[in-house]
């Protein structure tokens, strides 16, 4: 477990006989294509089989008319080290989440580390260590973007430059540390942004000991890049305050599994009404007191699609392309040059839906038949989803 993930190259991979290709782009969510070609972990062609160079493939996957989508991105997780969470004393949660179609995770702070240091030297050291550790170790092949320091009182601009120079690219949730006032948070968020570090702010009632209420005024004043769990983590702000955040801020609207489901649905609807659906991204906010949710992103997709009445292919884009663009990641979209991270899905056996998209629109989660990360098959039929009606095969 202490070993770095193998750096095996995928070589040339051809995926053929795709029944439905979801792009991850909510402006064009379904592609008229049945073939993807990959070379050494990157997409090199997308189109009809007759128009793609499929010769000389090291591996060929027959999708057997199932759906292919970009690997799902969990925009809000709290890892510690390795594939273990002390929050629930659980091993293997990241690899298990890969079986739920998630290929990339983004840390909102390594806050559950026992004895987490809160002095400035210690919090910087923890962030750099976490960034390095997960850069070297990928449980189940999942890309965990970690090293997200929780800011504390007393930090100065030089601290943020030091973090950036060391390779840290994220801030943990603003508000989980001692910095809770809008003006103070705004200054530190601005310093982080100056040095290329993206920020997320806690929104709503306290989640863990030491955190506190972060209300709409603090969120607006801080102006972090991501309005973290706008539906609360777990406790949401009043709906009128959430609505005001959607209207007055231009930042990402993050909806999480470990939050208020009613507010998540209403916030998704508000984004559609305000004509800013590109701002919506999805996370789980796990591990947390409510546990680990290996199917959390799939459940959010089904929840929002079915209750908010948003087409399933668009909601899949919330969990892929929207997040990739907001987070500046080279994944989450089916297009040439992007990382070859894919999830193969079909409607769950005996779902009332006509097909995959209809089943999700009805509230069922799909069955996963295969997950590919960087062009390498990481799992076949998922051990966590209901069984897919059809599954792809490696020829």
């Amino acid at each position: 477990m202490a070993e770095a993930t193998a750096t095996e190259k995928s070589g040339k991979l051809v995926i053929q006989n795709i029944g439905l290709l979801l792009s991850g782009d909510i402006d064009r969510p379904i592609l008229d294509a049945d073939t993807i070609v990959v070379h050494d972990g990157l997409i090199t062609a997308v189109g009809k089989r007759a128009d793609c160079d499929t010769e000389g493939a090291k591996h060929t996957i027959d999708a057997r008319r199932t759906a292919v989508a970009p690997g799902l991105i969990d925009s809000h997780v709290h890892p510690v080290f390795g594939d273990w969470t002390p929050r629930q004393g659980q091993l293997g949660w990241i690899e298990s989440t890969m079986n739920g179609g998630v290929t990339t995770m983004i840390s909102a702070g390594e806050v559950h580390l026992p004895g987490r240091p809160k002095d400035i030297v210690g919090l910087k050291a923890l962030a750099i260590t976490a960034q390095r550790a997960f850069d070297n170790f990928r449980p189940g092949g999942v890309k965990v973007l970690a090293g997200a320091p929780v800011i504390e009182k007393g930090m100065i601009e030089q601290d943020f430059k030091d973090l950036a120079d060391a390779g840290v690219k994220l801030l943990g949730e603003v508000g989980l540390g001692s910095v809770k006032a809008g003006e103070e948070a705004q200054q530190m968020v601005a310093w982080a942004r100056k040095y290329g570090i993206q920020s997320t702010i806690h929104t709503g009632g306290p989640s863990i000991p030491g955190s506190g209420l972060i209300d709409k005024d603090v969120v607006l004043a801080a102006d972090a890049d991501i309005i973290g769990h706008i539906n609360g983590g777990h406790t949401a702000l009043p709906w009128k305050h959430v609505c005001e955040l959607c209207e007055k801020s231009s930042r990402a609207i993050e909806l999480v599994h470990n939050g208020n489901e009613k507010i998540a649905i209403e916030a998704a609807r508000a984004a559609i009404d305000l004509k800013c659906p590109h701002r919506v991204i999805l996370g789980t906010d796990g591990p947390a007191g409510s546990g680990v949710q290996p199917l959390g992103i799939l459940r959010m997709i089904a929840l929002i699609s079915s209750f908010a009445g948003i087409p399933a292919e668009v909601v899949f884009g919330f969990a892929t392309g929207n997040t990739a663009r907001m987070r500046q990641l080279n994944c989450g979209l089916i297009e040439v040059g992007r990382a070859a991270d894919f999830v193969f899905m079909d409607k769950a056996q005996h779902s009332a839906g006509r097909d995959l998209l209809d089943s999700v629109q009805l509230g069922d989660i799909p069955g996963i038949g295969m997950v590919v990360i960087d062009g390498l098959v990481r799992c076949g039929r998922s051990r966590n989803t209901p069984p897919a009606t059809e599954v792809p095969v490696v020829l």
Side-chain angles (χ1 to χ4, degrees):
M1 187 168 177
E3 296 296 323
T5 302
T7 55
E8 178 187 355
K9 296 289 187 180
S10 70
K12 185 172 183 177
L13 168 70
V14 172
I15 303 170
Q16 61 189 32
N17 199 21
I18 298 169
L20 171 69
L21 186 53
L22 300 177
S23 69
D25 182 349
I26 66 173
D27 292 327
R28 190 169 65 121
I30 298 175
L31 297 178
D32 183 20
D34 61 12
T35 301
I36 300 172
V37 181
V38 172
H39 191 268
D40 285 347
L42 296 177
I43 299 171
T44 56
V46 181
K48 296 293 187 179
R49 184 177 180 184
D51 301 323
C52 296
D53 176 12
T54 60
E55 296 299 318
K58 181 179 179 181
H59 298 291
T60 299
I61 298 173
D62 180 356
R64 299 182 68 170
R65 307 301 298 168
T66 60
V68 176
L72 306 178
I73 304 171
D74 188 337
S75 177
H76 194 124
V77 296
H78 291 292
V80 176
F81 289 121
D83 202 352
W84 163 70
T85 169
R87 184 68 172 173
Q88 295 295 340
Q90 184 171 337
L91 292 168
W93 69 277
I94 296 173
E95 189 270 344
S96 192
T97 302
M98 182 271 292
N99 271 261
V102 172
T103 57
T104 299
M105 293 179 168
I106 301 168
S107 175
E110 295 75 39
V111 296
H112 301 315
L113 179 74
R116 173 173 63 91
K118 298 180 182 180
D119 64 288
I120 295 170
V121 172
L123 72 86
K124 288 163 63 177
L126 171 59
I128 295 166
T129 301
Q131 183 272 324
R132 296 288 195 279
F134 280 107
D135 195 46
N136 291 328
F137 178 62
R138 291 170 47 182
V142 176
K143 303 165 187 178
V144 182
L145 309 181
V150 175
I151 58 176
E152 301 283 355
K153 287 180 177 294
M155 293 184 74
I156 61 175
E157 182 176 347
Q158 184 64 41
D159 294 318
F160 295 88
K161 184 179 186 302
D162 292 343
L163 286 164
D165 289 345
V168 171
K169 295 181 172 61
L170 302 166
L171 286 190
E173 283 181 72
V174 176
L176 294 187
S178 57
V179 176
K180 294 180 172 65
E183 185 176 348
E184 189 174 23
Q186 182 185 56
Q187 178 63 82
M188 293 191 185
V189 164
W191 284 333
R193 189 174 289 131
K194 177 179 178 179
Y195 296 106
I197 299 174
Q198 193 177 67
S199 55
T200 298
I201 189 164
H202 179 92
T203 308
S207 57
I208 60 173
S211 65
L213 169 67
I214 302 296
D215 63 22
K216 66 171 179 69
D217 295 326
V218 175
V219 174
L220 289 171
D223 192 34
D225 299 294
I226 311 294
I227 304 176
H229 50 60
I230 200 170
N231 61 317
H234 303 268
T235 309
L237 296 173
W239 165 241
K240 65 179 182 178
H241 293 180
V242 173
C243 191
E244 188 173 340
L245 291 176
C246 293
E247 292 174 346
K248 290 187 176 181
S249 173
S250 62
R251 303 302 183 180
I253 298 169
E254 185 183 72
L255 311 177
V256 301
H257 184 277
N258 285 339
N260 183 312
E261 293 173 324
K262 177 178 174 60
I263 295 296
I265 294 162
E266 294 297 336
R269 286 176 176 156
I272 298 296
D273 292 342
L274 293 167
K275 296 181 170 46
C276 59
H278 297 84
R279 292 169 57 196
V280 181
I281 62 178
L282 305 183
T284 57
D285 195 10
S290 60
V292 171
Q293 301 82 27
L295 307 183
I297 297 297
L298 286 178
R299 296 190 69 82
M300 285 297 292
I301 291 169
L303 174 79
I304 294 168
S305 179
S306 58
F307 278 87
I310 302 173
E313 60 269 30
V314 172
V315 185
F316 273 106
F318 293 170
T320 54
N322 274 12
T323 313
R325 285 171 170 154
M326 193 68 65
R327 297 291 199 169
Q328 302 171 17
L329 306 177
N330 190 38
C331 59
L333 292 158
I334 304 294
E335 60 184 31
V336 172
R338 296 274 178 170
D341 300 342
F342 311 116
V343 54
F344 295 70
M345 301 174 289
D346 200 3
K347 72 172 186 176
Q349 292 178 12
H350 305 293
S351 168
R354 297 183 308 274
D355 53 28
L356 169 75
L357 295 179
D358 188 50
S359 69
V360 173
Q361 196 83 46
L362 291 175
D364 285 334
I365 61 172
I368 289 177
M370 185 178 288
V371 175
V372 169
I373 303 177
D374 289 333
L376 300 172
V377 176
R378 296 297 183 170
C379 76
R381 188 190 288 275
S382 170
R383 69 172 187 265
N384 291 331
T385 65
T389 300
E390 185 59 86
V391 296
V393 295
V394 180
L395 300 180

